[in-house]
Amino acid sequence: MLTAEQNERITRVGLGTPMGELMRRYWIPIRPYAQLLDEKVMSVRILGEDLVLFRAKNGDIGLVGEYCPHRMAQLKYGFPGENGLRCCYHGWMFDGTGQCIDTPMEAPGGTFKDQIKITGYPVKELGGLVWAYMGPEPVPLLPPWSLLVFPNALRQIGIAELSCNWLQCHENTGDPTHSAYLHGHYFKFLLEQEGKLDERAGDEQTHTLYGRMKLEEGIESLWVNGTEHGMEKGINYLKSLGAKEDHKSRHSTVIFPFFTQTGGPNRPRQEFQIRVPIDDTNTYHINYGCYLAPPEIEVPVQEVIPWYKVPLYHDDGRPMLDFVLAQDAHAWISQGPITDRTNEKLGRTDLPIVFMRRQFEEQMAIVEDGGEPMNVFRDPDTMPDLIHGGKWDMKDSAVIGIRRGVSNFRTAYHKGYGIDDADRYGPAMPLIADLMRQIEDLENSPAAGD
Ligand code: FES
Ligand SMILES: [Fe+2]
């Protein structure tokens, strides 16, 4: 439970709020780069600020304020100039820093334009995403988190806009046990109700919902640790309480401030789920899918990383619920625009959520004291080419979730299981299914045991 004041501090992201100031210390992914290739000017709302993202004719990208300062036309109606964004009304042009660089029809040779500047935030492309930095200078380095830069991998980017505060999306990652019900019992109920249980989940060994339901058997406690880049957490199981054996599970890794990473070493499917605040009550949710090929298999090079929208409602307005992200998304939205945490009743399964809230509180306090929060990188000489946000230990196979090959629905899209994830809408699915088929063939080949 939080007080109303604590809840305000941890959820609101506007300029000048404690969480808003913390978020503004990070590079934030704002759009798929592929979208910007098709739609050269678009309005973007991030952290409660209305902005315009554009790609100029020379390929430069920029993120600038909403209004043209001439007579306040909106720049979302602008169009690309050679090296900036032109206003639709009288053609004034602004570069990516927000500097006015052309005022056609005003007196030639004057210095009028030099005195005119609007907001301009630095933007960069990495891993098929456009990233923006909206905080104070000096601008930090853009960290090469692993899935953005892994070689020999396929990628696709799923986007969903959710009508709720970003924190309830992100608290889901501190909540490993929700899977047993939301993606287990409830998923089963939904498929049964539609008469699709056998068709969609006939194989109890592979289908997600059976594995998820087992997750609740024999829980002794939850565990959580802070890590260099965020936190890790999981469940302690005891045989005496009904588990198959005494063991410890690890679930998705959390990268501060709003990433979670599913998958793990030797898993073909890796994913970042990134919870970018549009404003206090809307979230831009990115499913960054990365599908790793082992060295024996070479995947085709993707010139541009494709993206797709994840639909969450049927045409008649009913919520879609038959895939994992949709189940999560509707649970989060159902918690309200901003969850009232003054009324919640936390149990033992919420231990990682309590940890996560403390971590946010600590990092907000660091920024309030003028310090540098975690995961801000500044030294190019010590910046690696690839940063693992969480544990990436190939020997750690004792922990559940780290098995090689085609062993569950997320490694068997070629067998039809892609339908259970948002990935099913992705344009790279045929390539991904083919990769999983090749991985299975490799596992089954006589040389695999050598
Ligand atoms: S309002 Fe933009 S150029 Fe006139
Ligand atoms: Fe979930």
Side-chain angles (χ1 to χ4, degrees):
M1 193 179 110
L2 297 181
T3 65
E5 190 199 353
Q6 287 169 328
N7 201 30
E8 290 280 295
R9 271 176 69 79
I10 200 169
T11 54
R12 296 199 181 266
V13 293
L15 193 60
T17 61
M19 184 58 80
E21 290 306 303
L22 175 59
M23 292 275 182
R24 280 169 175 78
R25 265 52 181 185
Y26 300 99
W27 282 92
I28 298 172
I30 59 169
R31 286 294 181 272
Y33 186 69
Q35 184 179 4
L36 190 55
L37 292 178
D38 291 335
E39 239 178 285
K40 302 210 167 34
V41 182
M42 67 183 93
S43 52
V44 172
R45 184 167 165 81
I46 300 288
L47 303 182
E49 295 186 42
D50 289 306
L51 302 162
V52 178
L53 177 64
F54 67 91
R55 185 170 187 272
K57 283 185 185 168
N58 68 358
D60 286 354
I61 56 177
L63 180 68
V64 294
E66 185 182 11
Y67 293 102
C68 173
H70 174 214
R71 281 183 21 236
M72 311 312 283
Q74 282 184 305
L75 287 169
K76 67 182 178 185
Y77 297 116
F79 60 101
E82 186 53 38
N83 54 344
L85 173 67
R86 273 199 196 280
C87 177
C88 69
Y89 210 2
H90 313 93
W92 288 19
M93 185 157 71
F94 302 88
D95 69 13
T97 69
Q99 178 64 49
C100 182
I101 52 175
D102 193 21
T103 52
M105 304 183 290
E106 296 301 327
T111 56
F112 183 44
K113 67 178 188 313
D114 302 339
Q115 300 149 31
I116 298 163
K117 192 169 187 309
I118 56 174
T119 299
Y121 292 127
V123 277
K124 286 185 186 211
E125 187 275 332
L126 179 66
L129 288 166
V130 177
W131 302 73
Y133 178 74
M134 297 166 64
E137 295 197 352
V139 179
L141 300 171
L142 173 56
W145 299 117
S146 59
L147 304 192
L148 306 171
V149 293
F150 268 134
N152 202 26
L154 296 169
R155 294 180 174 80
Q156 58 179 4
I157 300 169
I159 300 295
E161 293 198 11
L162 311 179
S163 55
C164 64
N165 180 259
W166 67 280
L167 185 61
Q168 54 227 49
C169 311
H170 196 53
E171 282 187 340
N172 173 267
T173 196
D175 175 8
T177 58
H178 80 276
S179 281
Y181 274 80
L182 187 63
H183 309 310
H185 296 284
Y186 186 54
F187 201 172
K188 185 163 184 254
F189 161 77
L190 293 165
L191 293 180
E192 271 171 348
Q193 186 168 248
E194 289 184 26
K196 290 189 175 162
L197 186 62
D198 288 343
E199 174 196 329
R200 290 275 302 267
D203 179 354
E204 297 194 15
Q205 288 304 314
T206 309
H207 195 271
T208 180
L209 71 85
Y210 295 103
R212 305 288 180 110
M213 287 194 306
K214 285 201 194 87
L215 191 146
E216 67 176 324
E217 293 167 10
I219 296 175
E220 188 268 330
S221 58
L222 269 72
W223 62 271
V224 59
N225 294 319
T227 62
E228 185 184 358
H229 297 302
M231 58 174 264
E232 58 177 4
K233 81 288 164 180
I235 304 172
N236 297 311
Y237 288 98
L238 288 181
K239 193 172 176 187
S240 58
L241 294 176
K244 246 177 157 175
E245 57 191 352
D246 290 357
H247 73 285
K248 168 178 165 168
S249 67
R250 176 186 295 110
H251 298 257
S252 56
T253 294
V254 186
I255 305 174
F256 199 84
F258 44 45
F259 296 71
T260 188
Q261 180 171 355
T262 63
N266 287 334
R267 282 302 185 96
R269 180 189 184 270
Q270 311 287 326
E271 184 188 44
F272 282 151
Q273 292 188 14
I274 315 175
R275 288 74 191 243
V276 175
I278 294 173
D279 52 31
D280 291 343
T281 55
N282 292 281
T283 301
Y284 187 78
H285 192 278
I286 303 174
N287 281 75
Y288 189 89
C290 181
Y291 310 83
L292 295 181
E296 298 88 338
I297 298 170
E298 200 175 319
V299 296
V301 174
Q302 294 172 293
E303 294 299 333
V304 175
I305 297 174
W307 76 287
Y308 60 100
K309 282 189 184 162
V310 183
L312 294 172
Y313 295 90
H314 294 285
D315 290 344
D316 62 6
R318 282 178 304 123
M320 296 173 88
L321 288 162
D322 73 329
F323 59 100
V324 172
L325 179 69
Q327 292 156 4
D328 283 315
H330 290 297
W332 306 334
I333 293 167
S334 79
Q335 290 174 293
I338 300 179
T339 298
D340 180 0
R341 293 179 176 77
T342 65
N343 273 322
E344 61 189 9
K345 312 280 184 288
L346 300 185
R348 66 174 185 169
T349 55
D350 299 304
L351 180 78
I353 287 180
V354 173
F355 181 94
M356 176 185 283
R357 291 176 186 175
R358 280 204 197 115
Q359 195 170 48
F360 275 118
E361 187 51 53
E362 278 165 21
Q363 299 297 314
M364 283 191 289
I366 288 171
V367 172
E368 285 173 316
D369 289 345
E372 188 102 295
M374 69 193 299
N375 289 346
V376 173
F377 302 88
R378 297 207 180 271
D379 183 358
D381 295 335
T382 58
M383 184 67 142
D385 293 336
L386 180 154
I387 307 175
H388 287 299
K391 203 168 174 65
W392 195 268
D393 181 352
M394 307 299 263
K395 297 191 288 289
D396 196 29
S397 56
V399 175
I400 278 183
I402 305 182
R403 294 187 302 267
R404 189 176 173 95
V406 183
S407 54
N408 79 1
F409 82 111
R410 281 186 168 151
T411 56
Y413 285 178
H414 58 301
K415 295 182 175 172
Y417 291 101
I419 197 171
D420 294 324
D421 270 313
D423 311 33
R424 71 191 193 188
Y425 298 106
M429 273 304 268
L431 291 176
I432 294 159
D434 192 49
L435 169 62
M436 290 183 178
R437 183 178 302 111
Q438 290 184 64
I439 292 172
E440 187 179 32
D441 289 348
L442 189 67
E443 294 293 307
N444 293 333
S445 70
D450 291 355

